Each structure stands twice: as structure tokens, then as C-alpha cells.
Amino acid sequence: DSGVTQTPKHLITATGQRVTLRCSPRSGDLSVYWYQQSLDQGLQFLIQYYNGEERAKGNILERFSAQQFPDLHSELNLSSLELGDSALYFCASSSSQSLRVYEQYFGPGTRLTVT
Amino acid sequence: ELKVEQNPLFLSMQEGKNYTIYCNYSTTSDRLYWYRQDPGKSLESLFVLLSNGAVKQEGRLMASLDTKARLSTLHITAAVHDLSATYFCAVVSSGAGSYQLTFGKGTKLSVIP
């Protein structure tokens, strides 16, 4: 168990809908990262937040957005969903305080199925 | 743009045999990670390689990093069935307070009794 929690575990929704995925980082970790894993694209970095501020953006679609709240949990919002958005979405967190600095610990993931 | 290439993508090996997975990357980076993923599960951190010539070992797995060649290897010694999983290398891109991992496509390892 990495200490990173994600809810829900599974989500099934229809095209055109909007969903919110939630992530709680490990205790004390200030950075949160979101990744998408799909069969055709592999594991792709979406976005990073550090202590509430966006720090890096990867291959994140404009239909997707994220935020990190004062209690450090993060949410990934996916809107106008398409079939191709079906994937496993991972959240990871890291600390700048430990010896293994910046090592990312991954949550269990949310499996999104768009029908 | 950082590109990370792993090979092979699929590896079927007999128990007791040795094999090496390769990870090449296209631009300079100061750290590289190896992760393991079991089917339908999350990613488990195996190794963090921080400098040129770094070598880390855990059980039957040994990882090394050559930053000049932009190459990391994951060597499997005397494979056992429990090592069957997908292995990913990931390379760091960092700057101006940002930090992201670029992953290889993964190597799916099947160890056959």
C-alpha cells in the first residue's frame, strides 16, 4: 500500500458526461501528479500540482482539468467524455523532504469506462 | 521532447534463465525509475537510479544506469514465476519547480515453469 488513495475504483458513464476523480496524497506529500494509462497510448503524464499550484502540464486535453485543494487532495475533472477517454487514471504523490526525493508513489487507480 | 524506448516489449522466459530489459532515452536526465505493474494493479516502485554508474539490486533484479549512453538495464537472474509482470522504466524531466515522468511502453514478462 503506497499511502495514496483514489476514489472511485471504477466508474462507468456515457459519452458526453462529466466525471470527477479524487486523489488523496500520502501524508505530508505536497506534490500530486495525474497519469492516464490506456492500451494504445501507454502511461501518459497529464498534470502536476504542488501545494495547490499547477507546476507542469503534459498531454492533458482541454476537456480535462484538475485542481489541488488546501488540504492537498486533488481532483481530476473530465468533461464531454468520449469513448477514447476510457482508461485507468492514476494519481501519484511525492515529497521533497525524504531521502528518496521526488520519487512518485502511485495510487490504486480509477478505471473509467465510457460507453 | 523526451522519448523513452524499452525493449523487448514482450518477453517469455523459462524459470531459471537470465535476461536483460533495456531502456533508452533521448535527452539528458538526472534520474531514472523502474516500476513493476501486475495486471489491473497500480505501479510499484522497484529502483531509483540517481547517477551515472548507479547499480541497485533487490533479489533477482538488478538495475543499472549509464547516463552518457542514456541507457538503463534491468537484469533478471534465475527467473521465477513470481516475477511475471509488466516492467516500466520512467525518466524524469524537471525544471522551474516542475517534475514529470515519461514512461516507456513497458515490457511484459512471462516466466514459464
Side-chain angles (χ1 to χ4, degrees), chain B residues 27-101:
Chain B
T27 63
T28 303
S29 176
D30 63 357
R31 66 189 65 208
L32 184 143
Y33 299 90
W34 284 95
Y35 285 91
R36 168 182 170 144
Q37 186 179 36
D38 292 300
K41 302 292 186 182
S42 186
L43 285 88
E44 175 192 351
S45 177
L46 294 174
F47 300 108
V48 180
L49 301 169
L50 298 178
S51 60
N52 189 41
V55 177
K56 295 273 186 82
Q57 182 158 8
E58 181 81 29
R60 300 174 188 274
L61 300 178
M62 183 173 72
S64 67
L65 178 62
D66 180 343
T67 57
K68 292 178 183 174
R70 296 179 190 155
L71 170 69
S72 180
T73 60
L74 181 66
H75 186 73
I76 303 154
T77 302
V80 293
H81 180 68
D82 284 352
L83 290 179
S84 297
T86 300
Y87 293 86
F88 292 92
C89 64
V91 180
V92 167
S93 307
S94 61
S98 72
Y99 200 78
Q100 64 185 70
L101 295 179

Side-chain angles (χ1 to χ4, degrees), chain A residues 2 33 35 37 40-45 48 50 55-58 88 90 94 99-109 111, chain B residues 1 31 33 35 37 39-48 50 56 86 88 92 95-105:
Chain A
S2 67
Y33 311 79
Y35 293 87
Q37 185 176 33
D40 52 344
Q41 298 291 330
L43 261 164
Q44 289 198 100
F45 168 73
Q48 175 200 358
Y50 176 83
R55 282 294 176 92
K57 255 185 175 178
L88 198 48
F90 286 110
S94 72
L99 286 175
R100 295 180 77 158
V101 64
Y102 301 128
E103 181 175 1
Q104 296 186 19
Y105 295 88
F106 283 75
R111 182 168 294 282
Chain B
E1 181 190 342
R31 66 189 65 208
Y33 299 90
Y35 285 91
Q37 186 179 36
K41 302 292 186 182
S42 186
L43 285 88
E44 175 192 351
S45 177
L46 294 174
F47 300 108
V48 180
L50 298 178
K56 295 273 186 82
T86 300
F88 292 92
V92 167
S98 72
Y99 200 78
Q100 64 185 70
L101 295 179
T102 301
F103 284 83
K105 290 191 183 298

